């Protein structure tokens, strides 16, 4: 098993290095003639106004909260699913109960209008 | 070990023997082979994209009643190679005021995130990069990195359109991760393992037959997760010009292109592993390379449907996209998980019943059908309620108003 993780580590390094090397080679091969107009920020031909990195209204932050709940839920459910063959019906029903409580949460959010894009 | 039964294992053993014969310690020889294997797989995947680009351009051309590339080489097959050579010698224009680290890390990470999935895919019974016992979790975790690349490049570009695209991509990732991960629970449950290779081994009956609803959800959610059309809101050209990659040029843009095509094929591979029995097929266990052929054919078929969808459907609006995920796919995925868990436990094992496997398949298919009917009925009810609110007179007389949301416009 350690070998498998070593392979993953090697593979990640190679996966990062390959595109980086390709970009580097292309950077050496390509022409380099920057000028101020070419380097200006693209905005439909007019000059950009103000800063780009402004505070922006993230309309989906409630979705983010619900996502967090479900993501944590699935972390609990994966071990349960992997051990499914050894479980008795009672243990399965317990997990179903756990899921149904979260479904209740989803329905509540739905009724409260949290799932509407505003 | 004969060459013709398993050329891959034969080659590995032969090379290992050769290196040890040169006087290298066993561990170092294994390490070198591991490195070489990883390099060949990653490089092969990158070069494979050339074929994918040709395939997709040709197909989309045909769907749109054009020829597609047909000038360079027979059937235009050299076209992607020519494009690659050209893009390699293009200038990298870096706009003023970018944040250099995220701006340059974006395209690299986009490709790396997709390539990393290939490390755990079981191509044949023996040809697996790393046969992790948690490879499903690994795929889910690494899959999210691709979106981070989009966010990095959108944020680092110092461009408002790119930033908007990055925001949208976060919304998309948040929404579609949930049904995707929940639908993934079903094959894990049926096989009782988190290892992709084990999931393939357990698929005497393809899981698309046992769990068609989960397969459907996984298919839709994975397309959305990758951001392909009809879910390509991050590249909506009518609103965002080019989306998150607007300020990239040359090979940096090319890397996003590579990542996009590779991602689309990688989810097809994953779908083939999880629901279509991966490398399984006649004689695949005796002759593993035959398994690779089956695997690629299955993945190719899924990829074809993927392109078909891209060519057929218009892009969703963002509120529709979020609605599909939270109001349809997520409840449906939860329903599929509960149904599969309870019914598979209630059914006695295959060996107890006569024709046990057929009974199991029949019951599972029936249960999935019931789930689809219930979901459809609930949706119809919802729509009816909605129409009574919006168009009380027309609805009470039994008229139907087509596509209410378009008439109403966005809020």
């Amino acid at each position: 098993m350690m070998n498998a993780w070593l392979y993953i580590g090697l593979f990640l390094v190679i996966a990062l290095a390959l595109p980086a090397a390709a970009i580097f080679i292309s950077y050496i091969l390509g022409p380099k003639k920057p000028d101020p107009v070419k380097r200006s920020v693209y905005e439909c031909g007019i000059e950009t106004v103000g800063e780009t990195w402004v505070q922006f209204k993230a309309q989906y932050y409630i979705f983010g909260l619900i996502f967090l709940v479900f993501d944590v839920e699935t972390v609990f459910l994966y071990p349960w699913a992997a051990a499914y063959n050894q479980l008795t019906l009672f243990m399965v029903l317990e997990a179903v109960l756990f899921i149904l409580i979260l479904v209740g949460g989803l329905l509540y959010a739905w009724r409260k209008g949290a799932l509407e894009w505003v | 070990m004969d060459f013709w039964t398993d050329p891959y294992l034969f080659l590995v053993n032969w090379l290992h023997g050769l290196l040890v014969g040169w006087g290298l310690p066993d561990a170092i020889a294994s390490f070198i082979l591991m490195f070489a294997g990883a390099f060949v797989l990653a490089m092969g995947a990158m070069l494979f994209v050339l074929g994918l680009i040709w395939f997709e351009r040709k197909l989309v051309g045909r769907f749109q009643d054009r020829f597609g590339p047909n000038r360079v080489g027979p059937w235009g097959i050299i076209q992607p190679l020519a494009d690659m050579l050209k893009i390699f010698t293009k200038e990298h224009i870096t706009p003023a005021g970018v944040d250099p680290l995220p701006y340059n890390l974006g395209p690299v990470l986009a490709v790396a995130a997709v390539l990393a999935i290939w490390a755990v895919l079981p191509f044949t019974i023996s040809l697996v990069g790393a046969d992790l016992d948690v490879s499903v979790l690994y795929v889910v975790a690494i899959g999210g990195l691709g979106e981070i690349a989009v966010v990095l490049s959108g944020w680092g570009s110092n461009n408002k359109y790119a930033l908007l695209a990055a925001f949208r991509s976060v919304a998309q990732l948040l929404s579609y991760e949930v049904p995707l991960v929940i639908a993934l629970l079903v094959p894990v449950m049926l096989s009782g393992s988190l290892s992709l290779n084990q999931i393939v081994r357990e698929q005497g009956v393809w899981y698309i037959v046992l769990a068609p609803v989960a397969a459907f959800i996984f298919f839709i959610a994975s397309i959305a997760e990758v951001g392909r059309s009809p879910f390509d809101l991050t590249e909506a050209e009518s609103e965002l010009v080019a989306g998150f990659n607007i300020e990239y040029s040359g090979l940096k843009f090319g890397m996003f292109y590579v990542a996009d095509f590779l991602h689309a094929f990688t989810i097809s591979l994953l779908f083939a592993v999880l629901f279509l029995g991966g490398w399984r097929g006649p004689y695949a266990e005796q002759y593993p390379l035959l398994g690779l052929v089956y695997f690629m054919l299955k993945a190719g078929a899924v990829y074809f449907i993927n392109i078909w969808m891209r060519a057929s459907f218009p892009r969703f609006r963002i509120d529709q996209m979020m609605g599909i995920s939270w109001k349809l796919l997520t409840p449906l995925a939860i329903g599929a998980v509960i149904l599969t868990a309870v019914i598979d436990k209630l059914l006695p094992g295959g060996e107890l019943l006569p024709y046990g496997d057929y009974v199991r398949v029949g019951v599972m298919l029936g249960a999935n059908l019931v789930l689809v009917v219930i979901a459809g009925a609930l949706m119809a009810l919802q729509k009816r309620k909605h129409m009574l609110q919006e168009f009380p007179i027309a609805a009470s007389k039994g008229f139907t108003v087509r596509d209410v949301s378009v008439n109403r416009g966005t809020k």
Side-chain angles (χ1 to χ4, degrees):
Chain A
M1 195 41 26
M2 268 333 281
N3 266 340
W5 286 106
L6 181 67
Y7 181 87
I8 295 281
L10 273 178
F11 199 94
L12 285 181
V13 171
I14 291 172
L16 281 169
L18 272 180
I23 288 174
F24 183 68
I25 293 169
S26 143
Y27 176 73
I28 293 174
L29 288 177
K32 288 172 262 303
K33 292 178 192 135
D35 68 57
V37 177
K38 201 193 260 179
R39 293 187 69 214
S40 61
V41 172
Y42 177 80
E43 211 167 288
C44 303
I46 53 168
E47 275 180 35
T48 177
V49 177
E51 245 192 295
T52 306
W53 295 306
V54 291
Q55 287 195 337
F56 194 79
K57 178 186 167 213
Q59 284 151 310
Y60 47 81
Y61 81 96
I62 294 185
F63 289 96
L65 292 177
I66 306 172
F67 162 77
L68 206 62
V69 171
F70 276 90
D71 224 30
V72 174
E73 174 197 357
T74 47
V75 170
F76 284 120
L77 285 180
Y78 266 102
W80 167 75
Y84 179 74
N85 289 340
Q86 289 123 49
L87 300 181
T88 60
L89 183 65
F90 180 68
M91 299 178 192
V92 170
L93 288 179
E94 268 184 321
V96 167
L97 190 67
F98 170 63
I99 298 172
L100 284 179
I101 291 171
L102 283 153
V103 171
L106 181 67
L107 287 178
Y108 177 76
W110 196 338
R111 277 302 288 274
K112 282 283 177 185
L115 301 185
E116 303 296 328
W117 184 265
V118 284
Chain B
M1 178 72 57
D2 186 18
F3 178 76
W4 291 110
T5 48
D6 192 349
Y8 165 71
L9 268 188
F10 179 82
L11 200 69
V12 168
N13 285 337
W14 182 75
L15 278 174
H16 191 265
L18 191 74
L19 286 174
V20 171
W22 285 348
L24 282 174
D26 194 50
I28 292 182
S30 299
F31 183 80
I32 289 173
L33 276 181
M34 199 183 265
F35 187 83
F39 187 79
V40 168
L41 183 58
M43 201 70 203
M46 296 261 295
L47 291 178
F48 191 64
V49 173
L50 292 179
L52 290 180
I53 290 174
W54 176 79
F55 184 63
E56 176 144 0
R57 283 181 64 183
K58 201 78 186 164
L59 265 179
V60 170
R62 282 298 176 184
F63 278 121
Q64 295 171 349
D65 209 5
R66 318 180 262 114
F67 285 116
N70 67 345
R71 292 284 150 173
V72 194
W75 309 293
I77 208 161
I78 316 282
Q79 184 71 50
L81 202 67
D83 289 348
M84 191 189 78
L85 285 180
K86 184 185 127 188
I87 210 166
F88 250 95
T89 53
K90 283 261 185 180
E91 180 177 359
H92 290 198
I93 303 165
T94 309
V98 298
D99 197 349
L101 187 65
Y103 177 79
N104 290 313
L105 197 59
V108 175
L109 200 61
V111 176
V114 196
L115 275 185
I117 295 178
W118 283 56
V120 294
L121 289 177
F123 291 98
T124 73
I125 192 165
S126 56
L127 180 52
V128 192
D131 197 1
L132 293 186
D133 47 9
V134 288
S135 41
V136 172
L137 281 182
Y138 171 84
V139 165
V140 171
I142 287 286
L145 271 183
E147 297 289 326
I148 290 183
V150 172
V151 175
L152 279 181
S153 46
W155 179 261
S157 288
N158 188 22
N159 185 305
K160 284 163 192 142
Y161 293 119
L163 190 63
L164 278 176
F167 275 125
R168 284 185 176 189
S169 110
V170 175
Q172 203 165 332
L173 171 80
L174 284 184
S175 301
Y176 281 86
E177 185 93 356
V178 172
L180 181 91
V181 173
I182 296 178
L184 262 176
L185 278 170
V186 173
V188 169
M189 212 153 53
L190 289 173
S191 66
S193 169
L194 282 168
S195 148
L196 288 177
N197 208 8
Q198 188 62 28
I199 288 177
V200 174
R201 271 196 215 112
E202 296 278 333
Q203 282 185 62
V205 184
W206 290 2
Y207 288 161
I208 194 168
V209 183
L210 283 176
V213 172
F216 172 76
I217 293 165
F218 180 82
F219 182 69
I220 300 289
S222 61
I223 288 178
E225 183 96 346
V226 170
R228 293 279 285 189
S229 179
F231 297 99
D232 55 347
L233 285 130
T234 50
E235 299 176 40
E237 59 268 14
S238 51
E239 304 148 25
L240 299 174
V241 190
F244 66 93
N245 53 24
I246 183 168
E247 291 290 6
Y248 287 87
S249 59
L251 200 65
K252 279 183 198 162
F253 171 74
M255 281 300 147
F256 284 119
Y257 203 66
V258 167
D260 182 41
F261 280 86
L262 198 58
H263 226 149
F265 191 70
T266 308
I267 56 166
S268 311
L269 286 172
L270 276 176
F271 188 87
V273 166
L274 292 166
F275 294 104
L276 297 182
W279 43 259
R280 286 185 85 98
Y283 301 109
E285 285 178 28
Q286 287 92 331
Y287 302 100
L289 273 200
L290 212 54
L292 182 64
V293 176
Y294 295 137
F295 186 36
M296 285 296 161
L297 282 179
K298 286 169 186 173
V302 180
Y303 188 55
F304 175 75
I305 297 174
N306 216 318
I307 298 172
W308 194 354
M309 273 184 73
R310 178 188 153 173
S312 306
F313 292 125
R315 184 180 296 128
F316 286 113
R317 230 168 41 212
I318 191 146
D319 59 322
Q320 292 171 330
M321 188 197 75
M322 304 291 268
I324 291 169
S325 168
W326 287 106
K327 296 178 181 169
L328 175 65
L329 292 184
T330 305
L332 201 59
I334 293 174
V337 166
I338 294 177
L339 207 68
T340 314
V342 173
I343 287 182
D344 209 31
K345 214 46 15 165
L346 286 177
L347 276 181
E351 62 277 5
L352 291 178
L353 281 168
Y355 309 110
D357 270 348
Y358 295 101
V359 171
R360 185 165 172 241
V361 168
V363 170
M364 283 297 209
L365 266 180
N368 273 289
L369 197 68
V370 168
L371 190 66
V372 170
V373 169
I374 291 175
L378 282 177
M379 272 168 73
L381 201 73
Q382 192 80 17
K383 177 154 189 189
R384 207 182 127 68
K385 227 168 84 183
H386 184 78
M387 289 215 324
L388 275 172
Q389 255 175 14
E390 297 279 327
F391 306 94
I393 299 166
S396 65
K397 284 181 181 163
F399 296 132
T400 48
V401 183
R402 304 270 310 160
D403 202 359
V404 176
S405 53
V406 171
N407 293 346
R408 195 175 42 143
T410 45
K411 276 184 193 168

